[in-house]
Amino acid sequence: MSTQSVENRRHKVVVIGSGFGGLFGTKHLKRADVDVTLISKTSTHLFQPLLYQVATGILSVGEIAPATRLVLRKQKNAQVLMGEVVDIDLEHNTVTSRLLNQDTVTPFDSLIVATGAQQSYFGNDHFATYAPGMKTIDDALELRGRILGAFESAELATTQEMRDRLLTFVVVGAGPTGVELAGQIAELSDRTLEGTFHNIDPRDARVILIEGAGAVLGPMGPKLGGKAQRRLEKMGVEIQLNAMVTDIDAHGVTVKDADGTLRRIESSCKVWSAGVQASPLGKMLAERSEGTEVDRAGRVIVEPDLTIKGHPNVFVVGDLMSVPDVPGQAQGAIQGATYAAKQIKAGLKGQTPEQRKPFKYFNKGSMATVSRFSAVCQVGKLEFGGFIAWLAWLALHLYYLVGYRSRIITVIQWFVTFLGRTRGQMAATEQWVFARLALEQVAEDQEDADELAAALGAPPAGNGRAPGKAAPDRAVS
Ligand SMILES: Cc1cc2nc3c(=O)[nH]c(=O)nc-3n(C[C@H](O)[C@H](O)[C@H](O)COP(=O)(O)OP(=O)(O)OC[C@H]3O[C@@H](n4cnc5c(N)ncnc54)[C@H](O)[C@@H]3O)c2cc1C
């Protein structure tokens, strides 16, 4: 355990998370008379909107996930600590983070919590075994391995039934991520892989997009949703609306239609992009601050100044905050974090929490790409789609990508992919596909062994933890 001295120090801000909220919050404190410690369980700033391009072989991980430490190299008042935050003590103003077997306790004067959200399977967590989500680098690489692996196995299939199952790709959820993924799997099979196999024609692949609601891209409205749907259908994507996925196993999905009919789709490769659940730190904060609640997705219902009740020095921003009319999008996180940083700076100049003006969200619009040369875009009342929207999408994503190097390489990869037929990142390994499940199995075995040891009155075999989760040394930094 390591601790940082509290005496003779500047105002200390702890920022949890290195996503849009965490990074932008930290950067906005660059010139402030504060010391910032950014703690994150991942060592990178992940640009989630382009994860689907990693999953489909267009971009490499490096382009969308620069090391946070390098991004903040020139910010002398910022320290980056890697570790998963496991405790927030609102009484003593400390954060405990864990990296491997070491706990670190970091004190704060102000705290910005930006730990985002994770995949939600709506209580059916076992779906994750067969249908990974799309939230992390690991998810994207696993998915790339599963998609490309399905084509490889299809080439070796000994029956038509096997071949059909392997060449059927099911994407669950027709929000922006589902639409983008379905479009890219279709282009991968039609353009990139065409002519590269002998026993199969990749163009025979079926891509099915399943949505429980009645529309594609529902929140973007019928005009843009309709445009996206027509474009996908033109590319051969089968869209099934008002269809609820009720079960998923190794060989397919069970779907319930609006009239109650149950049917089965045989498919080896499934992707889940149907829901999100806020980081568990939201619930922890609510439990520890009297009167603070979380919404159904586990997001913290914050005060008008994005703090929690009774703790004007603790801000919750990004996908973890619940604020009416603020969508779970990058803009919400950036604007929330910028606002929090401004309040901290104003506080140093004597502004009291009561004097804070409430957070106001400025909706800059939303967009989703459907295929190469086609996107849909909504800015205020203006709604448009097609090539112009696609160019706007490219420009905006390049603007928000962190680092010149990433931008240049991304542009090159986009040229290669969208103007040519090839893709630059088609590598995949067996480990990417199976490591997650193997680690979960090891953890389960460890728990079983510990339960058995407890029943026999013996000490736990592995300190009660799975490998990589050894019992922590207590330390304060
Ligand atoms: C596939 C996908 C596509 C998307 N496309 C778009 C888009 O096109 N446009 C758009 O505007 N938005 C898009 N979004 C949403 C957007 O990415 C999020 O709204 C945004 O990332 C939220 O930022 P955040 O900082 O709140 O959380 P995140 O960016 O998720 O960052 C959370 C951070 O917290 C860290 N963390 C989590 N738990 C802990 C812990 N216990 N201890 C320490 N660190 C922790 C994580 O490692 C991560 O660094 C997309 C999201 C996904 C998943």
Side-chain angles (χ1 to χ4, degrees):
M1 174 119 112
S2 55
T3 314
Q4 204 156 50
S5 158
V6 187
E7 288 97 38
N8 303 324
R9 60 165 177 77
R10 294 198 289 183
H11 186 94
K12 174 136 188 172
V13 184
V14 170
V15 176
I16 313 177
S18 57
F20 284 103
L23 187 69
F24 278 77
T26 303
K27 282 182 153 192
H28 273 87
L29 291 166
K30 187 173 180 179
R31 291 194 178 80
D33 187 22
V34 297
D35 287 318
V36 186
T37 303
L38 181 151
I39 306 174
S40 183
K41 66 177 179 183
T42 47
S43 62
T44 59
H45 164 66
L46 176 60
F47 191 84
Q48 289 175 346
L50 288 176
L51 264 178
Y52 79 96
Q53 295 203 356
V54 172
T56 52
I58 299 172
L59 296 178
S60 76
V61 169
E63 273 106 65
I64 68 159
T68 316
R69 192 170 292 294
L70 298 188
V71 176
L72 293 173
R73 188 206 303 259
K74 291 194 177 143
Q75 186 166 337
K76 295 299 172 206
N77 70 346
Q79 180 190 19
V80 177
L81 291 185
M82 195 173 164
E84 178 168 3
V85 170
V86 289
D87 192 40
I88 299 173
D89 184 338
L90 295 176
E91 207 179 312
H92 301 101
N93 282 353
T94 60
V95 164
T96 304
S97 55
R98 182 170 296 163
L99 179 65
L100 298 177
N101 63 348
Q102 181 167 348
D103 274 9
T104 301
V105 178
T106 310
F108 64 83
D109 298 306
S110 298
L111 177 66
I112 301 178
V113 188
T115 46
Q118 54 203 31
Q119 212 68 55
S120 167
Y121 289 84
F122 306 118
N124 295 301
D125 289 352
H126 60 286
F127 288 3
T129 304
Y130 310 105
M134 266 274 288
K135 281 305 245 181
T136 64
I137 293 171
D138 288 332
D139 291 339
L141 292 179
E142 178 181 341
L143 213 48
R144 192 199 287 174
R146 283 182 181 240
I147 294 167
L148 299 180
F151 285 103
E152 296 299 337
S153 298
E155 175 80 344
L156 301 169
T158 49
T159 65
Q160 187 60 37
E161 194 190 350
M162 271 174 77
R163 202 167 295 129
D164 289 347
R165 187 174 66 234
L166 287 158
L167 289 181
T168 300
F169 298 86
V170 171
V171 179
V172 186
T177 304
V179 164
E180 288 166 349
L181 258 176
Q184 277 313 311
I185 297 173
E187 282 192 347
L188 180 74
S189 46
D190 280 355
R191 284 174 54 81
T192 312
L193 295 178
E194 195 255 312
T196 60
F197 291 87
H198 280 197
N199 297 336
I200 57 161
D201 183 345
R203 291 173 303 179
D204 291 340
R206 278 178 81 194
V207 182
I208 303 173
L209 181 61
I210 300 181
E211 168 60 47
V216 167
L217 295 178
M220 291 186 88
K223 183 178 164 195
L224 295 183
K227 258 185 199 293
Q229 178 167 350
R230 283 190 296 280
R231 174 70 196 150
L232 284 172
E233 283 170 343
K234 208 168 159 199
M235 293 162 66
V237 175
E238 296 171 36
I239 295 176
Q240 303 183 359
L241 301 176
N242 298 307
M244 298 297 294
V245 169
T246 56
D247 199 14
I248 303 186
D249 59 39
H251 297 303
V253 300
T254 306
V255 181
K256 190 177 180 185
D257 285 320
D259 62 4
T261 316
L262 284 179
R263 62 192 162 85
R264 169 109 182 137
I265 302 172
E266 295 294 317
S267 162
S268 292
C269 184
K270 287 85 58 183
V271 191
W272 186 265
S273 64
V276 291
Q277 180 71 25
S279 140
L281 289 190
K283 191 164 167 255
M284 182 191 285
L285 283 173
E287 282 167 1
R288 291 174 186 191
S289 111
E290 208 183 323
T292 299
E293 290 180 9
V294 290
D295 67 11
R296 277 176 53 193
R299 297 175 306 169
V300 181
I301 300 172
V302 288
E303 298 295 290
D305 63 356
L306 306 189
T307 60
I308 53 174
K309 277 197 168 62
H311 299 274
N313 60 334
V314 177
F315 297 85
V316 178
V317 303
D319 282 4
L320 188 60
M321 72 183 184
S322 173
V323 178
D325 300 326
V326 181
Q329 288 185 347
Q331 271 309 316
I334 293 170
Q335 292 181 31
T338 307
Y339 170 88
K342 276 186 185 159
Q343 305 320 305
I344 292 169
K345 286 194 274 192
L348 294 177
K349 292 186 183 145
Q351 179 190 266
T352 64
E354 294 72 32
Q355 290 170 323
R356 288 175 189 161
K357 287 196 183 124
F359 169 68
K360 258 199 197 143
Y361 176 66
F362 175 58
N363 187 353
K364 293 186 178 174
S366 50
M367 46 176 55
T369 146
V370 187
S371 64
R372 72 191 188 114
F373 308 147
S374 178
V376 287
C377 191
Q378 185 181 47
V379 186
K381 289 204 169 99
L382 187 65
E383 295 184 338
F384 58 106
F387 187 63
I388 300 291
W390 186 73
L391 287 180
W393 179 93
L394 286 188
L396 194 89
H397 282 66
L398 273 183
Y399 178 76
Y400 279 106
L401 258 189
V402 170
Y404 289 112
R405 185 194 155 278
S406 296
R407 287 186 194 133
I408 290 165
I409 297 176
T410 298
V411 168
I412 293 170
Q413 300 283 25
W414 283 351
F415 261 101
V416 168
T417 305
F418 299 134
L419 296 181
R421 287 174 61 196
T422 192
R423 294 185 178 203
Q425 301 298 328
M426 295 289 281
T429 75
E430 205 175 343
Q431 276 194 26
W432 293 356
V433 179
F434 295 110
R436 174 177 63 97
L437 297 178
L439 283 171
E440 280 171 14
Q441 188 59 54
V442 170
E444 261 176 46
D445 291 350
Q446 186 66 65
E447 271 171 31
D448 288 349
D450 289 342
E451 265 175 37
L452 185 63
L456 296 173
N463 294 332
R465 280 157 199 281
K469 291 192 172 179
D473 289 346
R474 296 290 301 170
V476 186
S477 104

